[in-house]
Amino acid sequence: MKMLFAQLCKLYTFFLVAFATIAVGAPLENEIMNPNLKRANIELTLPYCPADHPVYKASLCNSITELMVYCGIGSADDPATTIISYMNCKPDEVCVEHYHAVESELDVPHATCTDTKNKWDNFDNPNAIACSGKTSYISGSKDIEIAIIIYASDGKPIQVDSLYATENDSMLYPINNNMHNYTNVLRNYNKETIQYCFHTGTYADVTAYATAWGISV
Ligand SMILES: *[C@@H]1O[C@H](CO)[C@@H](O)[C@H](O)[C@H]1NC(C)=O
Ligand SMILES: *[C@@H]1O[C@H](CO)[C@@H](O)[C@H](O)[C@H]1NC(C)=O
């Protein structure tokens, strides 16, 4: 509960500057050309708010199958009128946290249920760096957003020591430390090879999922 409250407070500071940038990017064409070339525009179950608190503020993954959506009344960033609404993913989806960078860079956290097949784990060697296969994305937009989320065996997000991605085998910065999620924006993306990696720093068995969104500009 403490952590939730802290997150919420952090979110409010974001809302002040980022409220206008929440709109979700226009869907791009889905195309899968070969197994290593994936679509870069996954928008499946999106967070939404109930009629009595209709204004979407932000969202996180409560678990691998459940979105936690912050919803309010009007544009005021008033904690007293903000509620948390829970939504389930569809059976073949997993929840991925990301910052949907539509207009600005990274602004408000979002969670989306996606059907990503980009899944890997560290079960073979829990203390080693664990990386996904290499993937290229097709995108109708110039820029893409990539995201990773890490889940513990109980299906809850779990922090790891480091999370990063490479593009054409070069490290992308920043590297995330002591987080359960990772987002980066790749400008002028043109089918470069992406690989996603994490290192737990513990011997916990964890599972990672990664996906990418095309960003409309
Ligand atoms: C990532 O996780 C941190 C907590 O570790 C949280 O504060 C942040 O909002 C999350 N980011 C996204 C994009 O959901
Ligand atoms: C990535 O590699 C491909 C193929 O070698 C090359 O065409 C492309 O320019 C590279 N992109 C970057 C950003 O280095």
Side-chain angles (χ1 to χ4, degrees):
M1 204 57 218
K2 248 199 186 110
M3 190 177 158
L4 271 188
F5 184 69
Q7 279 180 356
L8 202 56
C9 293
K10 210 169 149 201
L11 292 182
Y12 286 120
T13 61
F14 278 121
F15 295 158
L16 295 176
V17 293
F19 183 74
T21 61
I22 290 168
V24 167
L28 300 163
E29 254 167 58
N30 285 341
E31 225 181 329
I32 301 174
M33 287 177 63
N34 72 49
N36 290 323
L37 208 56
K38 302 187 178 166
R39 62 197 174 136
N41 52 322
I42 297 174
E43 289 289 11
L44 295 171
T45 305
L46 291 167
Y48 74 86
C49 289
D52 56 353
H53 287 77
V55 181
Y56 173 75
K57 305 284 187 179
S59 50
L60 296 171
C61 296
N62 189 44
S63 75
I64 191 165
T65 57
E66 193 178 47
L67 298 172
M68 198 167 113
V69 190
Y70 295 82
C71 299
I73 301 168
S75 61
D77 300 321
D78 179 3
T81 60
T82 296
I83 60 158
I84 297 175
S85 172
Y86 294 90
M87 282 173 64
N88 284 314
C89 297
K90 296 193 194 91
D92 59 341
E93 295 176 349
V94 298
C95 185
V96 176
E97 289 178 352
H98 60 107
Y99 291 88
H100 210 300
V102 177
E103 289 172 13
S104 53
E105 282 285 329
L106 306 176
D107 40 49
V108 175
H110 300 284
T112 304
C113 300
T114 81
D115 64 356
T116 179
K117 304 290 182 287
N118 203 340
K119 173 187 177 185
W120 73 106
D121 62 53
N122 66 347
F123 299 170
D124 279 354
N125 190 349
N127 202 32
I129 293 172
C131 295
S132 69
K134 292 184 180 179
T135 303
S136 289
Y137 296 99
I138 299 175
S139 176
S141 59
K142 278 195 319 170
D143 303 332
I144 68 167
E145 180 192 58
I146 57 173
I148 314 173
I149 189 159
I150 308 285
Y151 287 108
S153 49
D154 65 357
K156 290 284 190 179
I158 184 172
Q159 282 192 2
V160 292
D161 178 49
S162 62
L163 274 164
Y164 61 89
T166 60
E167 182 179 26
N168 271 5
D169 297 319
S170 300
M171 181 67 84
L172 290 168
Y173 292 94
I175 294 169
N176 277 9
N177 293 115
N178 301 316
M179 297 273 270
H180 65 256
N181 61 31
Y182 169 95
T183 303
N184 219 327
V185 171
L186 309 183
R187 301 291 178 197
N188 296 312
Y189 177 77
N190 184 24
K191 297 182 188 159
E192 276 83 10
T193 301
I194 309 295
Q195 188 169 31
Y196 302 98
C197 299
F198 70 85
H199 177 237
T200 59
T202 67
Y203 287 90
D205 280 348
V206 303
T207 304
Y209 294 86
T211 194
W213 282 260
I215 304 170
S216 60
V217 283

